[in-house]
């Protein structure tokens, strides 16, 4: 199934659109051999980036990990290695949005970073299998574990302490700074889209709302379409107003996420439209609980959050600046 929008806008760097473009991307496979993938070795970035067909006989679905508006995510195996398999739903109310979500996932197909979920392969073709054929496309990804940051915040008896919040924030911002250095804005950063590995490290996933910006500036609006996807509780006010997206939209989303890690509460309650109106018209933000005022460290984190959810994108720090601030706080804590 071809992309409904120009392929050159959606394909990752290294994937060249041609008239003979095959329906599947696998940047980590050599012709005649099984896929040469290793989730911990940097040589991934050096492997040949071409389009090859997924070997469906080697792909096995094991169990459902979760589902959302655009599809399902399964744990499975590919050539014997545990992977996550995302199937983008075909039967949705907005088929164009579903196809855009699939192609947006491939914005990071050529990227390798320890804090980003790695894509192994992706295809728009499907075999005659009822478990797969109801999808727009299938994406095979690194299996980063079955626990999300959302689950860690709200479903674990032991709350995150400040040390844990800073460690997770460091991981998230490291991944985000890397994405922004490649001019990719995530546009749906939230705890549910951050996975925690067995080693306790965070990886950013779910790039179905992501966009590759056309210039390197994170201050100049350069997305030529109105981005309406994402999660309204974490969406920057300029996006809620219908403005163009910049990298600073992710900084706002991170502020809400860090607030959640610290407060262990939901950002807002009440009707969606009322919340959106309050954020846009009255600059409403989540309330700070006493934990932010009990210690000097808590007050510094509160200051960081306030800077990150400023109304004007230009007033928010960059991902690189924010990473440096978090590292400074961590250094103070670990002295």
């Amino acid at each position: 199934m071809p992309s409904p929008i120009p392929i050159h806008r959606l394909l990752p760097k290294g994937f060249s659109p041609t008239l003979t473009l095959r329906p599947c991307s696998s940047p980590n496979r050599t012709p005649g051999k099984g896929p040469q993938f290793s989730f911990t070795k940097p040589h991934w970035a050096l492997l040949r980036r071409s389009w090859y067909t997924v070997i469906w006989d080697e792909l096995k679905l094991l169990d459902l990990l979760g589902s959302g508006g655009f599809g399902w995510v399964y744990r499975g195996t590919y050539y014997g290695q545990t992977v996550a398999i995302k199937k983008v739903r075909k039967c949705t109310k907005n088929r164009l949005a579903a196809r855009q979500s699939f192609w947006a996932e491939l914005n990071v197909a050529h990227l390798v970073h320890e804090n980003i979920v790695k894509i192994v392969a992706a295809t728009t073709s499907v075999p005659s299998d009822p478990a797969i054929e109801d999808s727009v496309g299938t994406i095979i990804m690194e299996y980063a574990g079955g626990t999300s940051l959302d689950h860690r915040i709200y479903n674990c008896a032991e709350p995150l302490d400040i040390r844990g919040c800073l460690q997770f924030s460091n991981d998230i911002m490291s991944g985000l700074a890397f994405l922004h250095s490649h001019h990719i804005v995530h546009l749906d950063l939230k705890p549910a889209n951050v996975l925690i590995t067995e080693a306790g490290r965070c990886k950013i996933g779910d790039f179905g709302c992501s966009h590759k910006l056309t210039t390197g500036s994170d201050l100049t609006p350069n997305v030529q379409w109105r981005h309406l996807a994402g999660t309204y509780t974490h969406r920057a006010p300029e996006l809620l107003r219908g403005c163009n997206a910049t990298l600073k939209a992710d900084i706002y989303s991170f502020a809400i996420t860090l607030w959640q890690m610290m407060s262990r509460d939901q950002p807002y309650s009440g009707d969606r439209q009322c919340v959106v109106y309050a954020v846009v018209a009255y600059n409403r933000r989540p309330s700070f609980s006493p934990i932010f005022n009990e210690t000097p460290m808590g007050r510094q984190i509160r200051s960081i959050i306030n800077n990150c959810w400023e109304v004007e994108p230009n007033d928010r720090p960059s991902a690189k600046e924010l990473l440096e601030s978090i590292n400074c706080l961590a250094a103070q804590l670990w002295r």
Side-chain angles (χ1 to χ4, degrees):
M1 180 181 297
S3 169
I5 45 185
I7 281 184
H8 70 274
R9 289 183 53 203
L10 294 169
L11 290 182
K13 181 180 179 181
F15 294 101
S16 300
T18 67
L19 292 176
T20 59
L21 186 68
R22 298 188 184 184
C24 173
S25 159
S26 180
N28 306 300
R29 182 172 182 266
T30 303
K33 299 182 180 180
Q36 318 254 318
F37 54 84
S38 168
F39 302 130
T40 58
K41 296 182 180 180
H43 70 260
W44 262 35
L46 303 178
L47 293 177
R48 183 177 179 181
R49 301 182 184 122
S50 301
W51 290 75
Y52 296 101
T53 302
V54 167
I55 308 302
W56 291 103
D57 290 342
E58 297 293 339
L59 182 65
K60 295 178 175 59
L61 301 183
L62 298 179
D63 49 80
L64 180 67
L65 296 177
S67 61
F70 284 129
W72 312 263
V73 178
Y74 293 85
R75 183 175 65 90
T77 61
Y78 191 53
Y79 280 89
Q81 286 208 27
T82 302
V83 294
I85 302 115
K86 181 173 185 178
K87 299 189 300 171
V88 180
R89 193 189 309 269
K90 178 189 296 183
C91 299
T92 65
K93 294 180 180 179
N94 190 336
R95 294 193 177 187
L96 174 60
R99 294 173 186 175
Q100 288 176 332
S101 175
F102 171 79
W103 289 101
E105 292 274 5
L106 299 187
N107 282 324
V108 298
H110 65 295
L111 300 181
V112 180
H113 191 275
E114 61 183 352
N115 299 120
I116 293 174
V117 175
K118 177 63 187 175
I119 290 180
V120 177
T123 181
T124 56
S125 64
V126 294
S128 299
D129 185 339
I132 298 176
E133 62 186 7
D134 192 37
S135 65
V136 170
T138 300
I139 302 169
I140 305 174
M141 303 171 289
E142 162 192 11
Y143 179 72
T147 302
S148 70
L149 179 57
D150 187 86
H151 183 274
R152 177 64 184 85
I153 293 172
Y154 299 113
N155 298 105
C156 291
E158 187 69 22
L160 280 170
D161 58 14
I162 289 181
R163 185 184 298 269
C165 290
L166 289 178
Q167 177 187 319
F168 285 169
S169 295
N170 178 276
D171 288 346
I172 295 169
M173 289 313 304
S174 293
L176 203 59
F178 179 76
L179 288 174
H180 289 185
S181 71
H182 289 81
H183 318 310
I184 294 173
V185 57
H186 188 281
L187 293 177
D188 197 21
L189 183 67
K190 59 182 179 179
N193 288 340
V194 176
L195 300 179
I196 302 176
T197 68
E198 292 182 358
R201 306 309 298 267
C202 290
K203 288 178 176 282
I204 301 173
D206 199 339
F207 292 88
C209 292
S210 69
H211 195 86
K212 179 67 180 285
L213 302 183
T214 55
T215 75
S217 172
D218 61 351
L219 301 177
T220 303
N222 45 29
V223 177
Q224 301 304 315
W225 49 278
R226 307 295 190 188
H227 189 88
L228 300 177
T231 306
Y232 78 96
T233 54
H234 294 68
R235 198 179 305 161
E238 65 271 18
L239 299 185
L240 294 175
R241 291 195 301 266
C243 298
N244 291 329
T246 71
L247 299 178
K248 296 298 183 70
D250 285 343
I251 302 302
Y252 179 95
S253 301
F254 171 76
I256 304 293
T257 298
L258 178 53
W259 180 92
Q260 289 176 274
M261 284 193 276
M262 288 287 292
S263 65
R264 211 183 188 193
D265 199 0
Q266 295 294 340
Y268 305 107
S269 61
D271 179 76
R272 168 181 175 147
Q273 294 302 322
C274 291
V275 170
V276 169
Y277 182 77
V279 169
V280 173
Y282 296 104
N283 299 328
R284 181 183 174 185
R285 301 292 184 268
S287 301
F288 287 108
S289 61
I291 193 173
F292 290 96
N293 299 314
E294 292 173 349
T295 65
M297 185 66 66
R299 289 189 287 274
Q300 290 184 72
I301 292 176
R302 174 175 178 161
S303 177
I304 286 177
I305 292 174
N306 273 326
N307 290 336
C308 290
W309 64 28
E310 287 280 0
V311 175
E312 293 298 327
N314 291 4
D315 294 334
R316 301 170 202 155
S318 68
K320 183 178 179 180
E321 292 169 339
L322 191 50
L323 181 58
E324 292 174 355
S325 297
I326 291 170
N327 286 335
C328 286
L329 286 186
Q332 294 177 34
L333 189 64
W334 296 328
R335 282 175 186 167

